[in-house]
Structures are given as structure tokens and as C-alpha cells.
Amino acid sequence: MRGKRIAKIVIVLAVVGIGYAAVKDDIAKLWQDLHVKIVEHPTPKKTVWLDQGIAKEKLSWFYHADQGTRTFGFPYEWFMALEQPTISWLPFTKVGLFSDTAYLDRYGFIPDTIIPGKQALPIGFAKGTPMLDPTGAPWKNPRNKQDMTGVGLTCAACHTGSFTYKDTAVVIDGGPALTNLFAMKQGMGISLLLTRYWPGRFDRFAERILGPDSTVDDRETLKNQLDQVLAQYKQVKNLEERVASQSILEGYGRLDALNRIGNQVFSIDLKKPENYAGSSAPVHFPRIWNTPWFDWVQYNGSIMQPMVRNAGEALGVSAELNLTEPSKGLYKSSVDLKSLDEMEQMIKGKNPPNAKDGFSGLKSPKWPGDILPPIDQKLADKGAELYKTHCQECHRPPVTSEAFYDFNNKDWWTKNEAGEAILKVENVPISHIGTDPAQAADMLARTVAVPDHLGIKSSSFAFALGELVEKTVNTIFDQQKPPASAAERKRMDGYMPNELRGELAYKVRPLNGVWATPPYLHNGSVPTIDDLLGDPEKRPTKFHLGSREYDPVKLGYKTDPIANGFEFDTSIRGNSNRGHEFRKDYSKEREVKGVIGPELSADDRKALIEYLKTL
């Protein structure tokens, strides 16, 4: 008998083992789908804002200025009521709110404490105006029938940086964020799913949205609204899975912004799944000080007009846009052009660049010698000579020098339609600079299917996007009462035409503030400036992003392994860390792809790094 029992147990265990083997991938996938990996940062003792020429009150406005975005696909009231995507294994147990600033900080969103005592969402979150539901109707609270309010990200979410040194956090306005946007959207999807189905969650959510005296019908309507949003999230998840083989994990501090803008407008807004493309070319969030005075923007120098650049960004983070129902007005959108213009003017400043005052508006940060180790001026002076020899030809003289403002140099300066000085940024061919080609090449290669009723002439992604954004902007201008005048439109367009280009090249810009903008190269593949200037064969092939701790010697974030951080693998297409190299085989007479200068000694690198701190 005992032998038979053992045999039965063995058979049962074998069946269980076979069953587990058959479904283990499904179990692993379910766990992955319900688990968000985000870093937990130590809380700094204090947070410091550097003086970058903008008053704190103006920055406080900028951080939350509504651009008309609806990034999350649900209202502000839901955002404040949702709980974190944590499974409490004891049913009906409360968990923290998703909107808790300490929790959002783990995704990289910086708490807004610039004005002490003022309650605020994290930097880059904006409470907006009444929004539409997934059917295109005004989104109403099922209980009181009041309009629900939009919520979305602003440009400050991606273009406000931060680092910590010891126990102090330093905010860099206009610097690259260290956010993980994809992880946050994943977390929101899980939170919505748990709200709908996990015991106790919906009841708590309903009470926050509807109040304590809601009816069964009110609650059922709220459930239907949840189902509609979940269906949208599932649709995007399916699209992401369909193009997963083409996509690269973006992680902390990066986004394939242009492809994601294209996916939003040409696939989701247009309801054309075939237009959805993989995120094949993530880029490091660029610094934005001085950019209103550049003739071309984007890493590949593809967009000229400020309004098209900014309105495209707003559309990319899900401003409402009608592309499918002519009866409701094609190109009707929630994009707030007035807000976009005010933000642009804050960054731009009132005066064109000049030798006396430099660039107005948002200024690049100065090395905080009271927080970081002070600059060795003697060593920096040596580095200044090295900069002239190895860097100045492409990156220009420092913006604090008179030599930078040589307006007679037609290769450096041009003018906009108002006669203001505009900096000409050079687009350097990839065949020379040798950095990863994916961002430029994939934008150039991408095409989109566009229906005739939109009146868009080109199927090339870049040019179709430029047309679409311009039509959206013009529609908004026309719908203003009275419609915006031609003179006002030109002013808000930055006195620049809507020109676009697609080249296998990347633009080069001045290096003021570069010390505060790690990691480096357009795709963020080189963690520190020391790595960038050193032996390219010794650049880290794998490193971790997620830590904010700054290394003032190498100029970059600490990249030691960190729990739930992002491992950057430079062997993957789109992630290459090659190019912009200083090597022994450099020759002025014979070009070697990716080699831009001779090998630098350790002492020369230290001197050059010390000088870059002064910019």
C-alpha cells in the first residue's frame, strides 16, 4: 500500500511538473506584466535650484503650464484617486496613492518644492481643462454630471534634470530628465486593472470619485468608463507587442520621442494600427537652454520652426486631436498654443544673443562650487587651450566669449524673418562623426499611410508629421475669436518657416552647461565625459542608469548596479557607444570614420574636463 501511495504522489508531482513546464512562460509573462521595476532613491536632506536667470514664480508656473495634453487617457480626478500598482495579498488592504510625490519620484519625476509650502504635482504634470472620454464625448462624473479635468505631461517633465551629491539634490532647469516614462505608463495600466478587479480597490476608487452616497447605477457607469480606458491601454499594449522585435527598451533618461509622436498621431489618433512603429531609436532627453535661437532642432537637425516643434511635442503626449471625423472638424485639438508660446518666450528671453549679455531667457547652469568640489582654475586654464585645439572647431568658442558672437561669420549666424540673430548649428554627417545612425536613419526610412481627406501630400514620416502639425496649428489659429492675425502667427511661429529635412547627420551645438547633462552622445550610450574623451575601446559596454548620484571627477551619474535600475547594453542596435572618438590613428590628412581627434593623455583629459566645468 505504501508503495502505491508513493507511486501516486510521484505521478501527481510529475503531472504538476509537466503542467508547470507547459505554462511557466505564461506565468512569467503574467508576473512581468503585473510588476513594475522602478528605482528607490534615498531622500536628500535638501534640494537646491541654481540661478539660471528665471524667477522662481515663473518656473513654478512653467512646471505645470497646461499644454492641452491628456497623456494618461483618464482625468485628473482619477489620477489623484488611483492607488499604486502594488498587489496587497490580503484582500481589501489599502495601498498608497499613485499620485504620491515620493512614489512618482521613483519613476524620475522631481518633486516641486521650489516655493516652500506650496502643494504641487511633480515637475512636468499639468492639470488642464475639461477633457473628452474615449468615445469623443465630454467626460462626465457619473454622480454629479460635472466635467472631468484633463491631466498630462508638459515639456518640463522631460527637460528638467536633477542630480544628487552626497545629501543635496540639485535641480537643472532645461536639463535632461532621468525619467522612465514607459514604466510609468505600465504602472498606470496595472493600477487601472487592479482598480477594476482586485477586491476592495474599486470600492475605494468609487468613493473617491463619486462620494460616499453613490448609487449602483453611478458605480456601474464608472466601471464602464474604466473598461473603456482599459480597452485603450490594451490596444496600445497589443501594438507594442506587435512591434516588440523592432523596439529597444528606453529605460531611465531616454525616449524614442519622434517615433512615439508618430505612433500617437498616425496610428492611435488616426486609428491605423499599420502605422505603429517600434521604438527603435531612443535618445537622451536634450538640454533646451538657448534652443529658441537655433536654426534647427532635434538631434538630427530635422525641424526648424519653434511652434511646429512644440505643438508636435504636445500632440505626442496625447493632446486631443480629431483626424477621423470630418463632421466634428478635422484637426480640432486641445493643444494650447498660447501656453506653448508663453513657455517658448520664457526659455527664449526678450533679447537676441549679443556679446554683452550672451543668450537671454533660460541660461545654462553654472558649476555650483559650494555644493560640488571647487574648480581648479589653473588646471582649467590648461584645458581651455586643449578646448581650442580639439573642440572649438565644431562646438564654437564658449558662449561667454566675444569670439562666439562674430555675426559677420555667415557660417555661424543667420537671421530670422524679424531680423534677429539666429545661431546656425552644423549638421555633421554620420559618415564622419560615426555615432549610432538609428535615430537619423529610421526617421528618414519611416513611411506612413495617410487618408486623402487629411490633405497631406507626403507619405514620408518626417514631412507628413510636419504637414499634420502645421495644419493642426493653423486650425487652432483659425478657430480663435477673432482668428489670429498673420503678424501674430508669424511671431508665435518664432519668425521661422516650417521647414523640415531628413539627413544622415547629427547637429553639433555649444557646450555651455554640458557638465550637467549626462549621459552623453545623442542616445545616452556613454555615461561620463571622461569615458567620452578616453580610449573608445574602454568605454563601458554595459552600465546601469537610475542612480542620481553625481560624479564630479568624471562628470556623469554613478553607474554601479542599482536595484530595479536599467542596464544599458551598447551592443544593441540604436545603443552603440562608438563615434566621437579620440584615437592614436587620427590624421588630418586621412579621415577615419568616427575619429575626430588624437588620443588624449590622462592629464589632458583631466584638464579638459576641468575646463568644461567652467562653461
Side-chain angles (χ1 to χ4, degrees), residues 80 111 228 313 387 408 542 577:
M80 300 304 291
Q228 289 176 346
E313 173 263 321
Y387 180 89
N408 294 318
K542 289 185 179 181
N577 65 0

mmCIF file of all heavy atoms in Angstrom, residues 80 111 228 313 387 408 542 577:
data_model
loop_
_atom_site.group_PDB
_atom_site.id
_atom_site.type_symbol
_atom_site.label_atom_id
_atom_site.label_comp_id
_atom_site.label_asym_id
_atom_site.label_seq_id
_atom_site.Cartn_x
_atom_site.Cartn_y
_atom_site.Cartn_z
ATOM 1 N N MET A 80 -5.619 61.356 -9.211
ATOM 2 C CA MET A 80 -5.482 61.605 -7.774
ATOM 3 C C MET A 80 -6.107 60.494 -6.935
ATOM 4 O O MET A 80 -5.809 60.373 -5.735
ATOM 5 C CB MET A 80 -6.122 62.947 -7.416
ATOM 6 C CG MET A 80 -5.513 64.147 -8.120
ATOM 7 S SD MET A 80 -3.723 64.328 -7.881
ATOM 8 C CE MET A 80 -3.664 64.760 -6.135
ATOM 9 N N PRO A 111 10.002 66.109 -7.344
ATOM 10 C CA PRO A 111 9.041 66.848 -6.508
ATOM 11 C C PRO A 111 9.235 68.356 -6.681
ATOM 12 O O PRO A 111 10.365 68.845 -6.738
ATOM 13 C CB PRO A 111 9.385 66.399 -5.082
ATOM 14 C CG PRO A 111 10.081 65.075 -5.250
ATOM 15 C CD PRO A 111 10.834 65.178 -6.545
ATOM 16 N N GLN A 228 -13.588 51.166 -20.681
ATOM 17 C CA GLN A 228 -13.200 51.860 -21.911
ATOM 18 C C GLN A 228 -11.722 52.246 -21.887
ATOM 19 O O GLN A 228 -11.011 52.090 -22.887
ATOM 20 C CB GLN A 228 -14.069 53.115 -22.103
ATOM 21 C CG GLN A 228 -15.508 52.828 -22.460
ATOM 22 C CD GLN A 228 -16.352 54.089 -22.540
ATOM 23 O OE1 GLN A 228 -15.936 55.155 -22.089
ATOM 24 N NE2 GLN A 228 -17.532 53.977 -23.119
ATOM 25 N N GLU A 313 5.275 68.195 -29.970
ATOM 26 C CA GLU A 313 5.536 67.563 -28.670
ATOM 27 C C GLU A 313 4.239 67.381 -27.892
ATOM 28 O O GLU A 313 3.991 66.335 -27.288
ATOM 29 C CB GLU A 313 6.530 68.421 -27.880
ATOM 30 C CG GLU A 313 6.765 67.976 -26.442
ATOM 31 C CD GLU A 313 5.922 68.755 -25.452
ATOM 32 O OE1 GLU A 313 5.750 69.961 -25.635
ATOM 33 O OE2 GLU A 313 5.417 68.138 -24.489
ATOM 34 N N TYR A 387 40.739 72.809 -25.367
ATOM 35 C CA TYR A 387 39.421 73.005 -25.982
ATOM 36 C C TYR A 387 39.566 73.705 -27.334
ATOM 37 O O TYR A 387 38.930 73.307 -28.326
ATOM 38 C CB TYR A 387 38.533 73.821 -25.043
ATOM 39 C CG TYR A 387 37.152 74.085 -25.595
ATOM 40 C CD1 TYR A 387 36.104 73.196 -25.370
ATOM 41 C CD2 TYR A 387 36.889 75.229 -26.359
ATOM 42 C CE1 TYR A 387 34.828 73.439 -25.893
ATOM 43 C CE2 TYR A 387 35.625 75.473 -26.880
ATOM 44 C CZ TYR A 387 34.599 74.571 -26.641
ATOM 45 O OH TYR A 387 33.343 74.810 -27.158
ATOM 46 N N ASN A 408 29.491 88.499 -38.334
ATOM 47 C CA ASN A 408 29.931 88.578 -39.732
ATOM 48 C C ASN A 408 30.257 87.203 -40.308
ATOM 49 O O ASN A 408 30.415 87.066 -41.519
ATOM 50 C CB ASN A 408 31.163 89.480 -39.846
ATOM 51 C CG ASN A 408 30.837 90.925 -39.512
ATOM 52 O OD1 ASN A 408 29.799 91.435 -39.917
ATOM 53 N ND2 ASN A 408 31.719 91.593 -38.778
ATOM 54 N N LYS A 542 28.385 47.878 -20.901
ATOM 55 C CA LYS A 542 27.145 47.767 -20.138
ATOM 56 C C LYS A 542 27.285 48.619 -18.880
ATOM 57 O O LYS A 542 28.338 48.604 -18.244
ATOM 58 C CB LYS A 542 26.838 46.315 -19.761
ATOM 59 C CG LYS A 542 26.411 45.436 -20.928
ATOM 60 C CD LYS A 542 26.010 44.041 -20.443
ATOM 61 C CE LYS A 542 25.554 43.183 -21.611
ATOM 62 N NZ LYS A 542 25.121 41.823 -21.168
ATOM 63 N N ASN A 577 27.861 52.830 -28.559
ATOM 64 C CA ASN A 577 28.613 53.894 -27.879
ATOM 65 C C ASN A 577 29.830 54.344 -28.680
ATOM 66 O O ASN A 577 30.697 55.032 -28.152
ATOM 67 C CB ASN A 577 29.056 53.441 -26.486
ATOM 68 C CG ASN A 577 30.053 52.281 -26.534
ATOM 69 O OD1 ASN A 577 30.414 51.805 -27.608
ATOM 70 N ND2 ASN A 577 30.489 51.837 -25.373
#
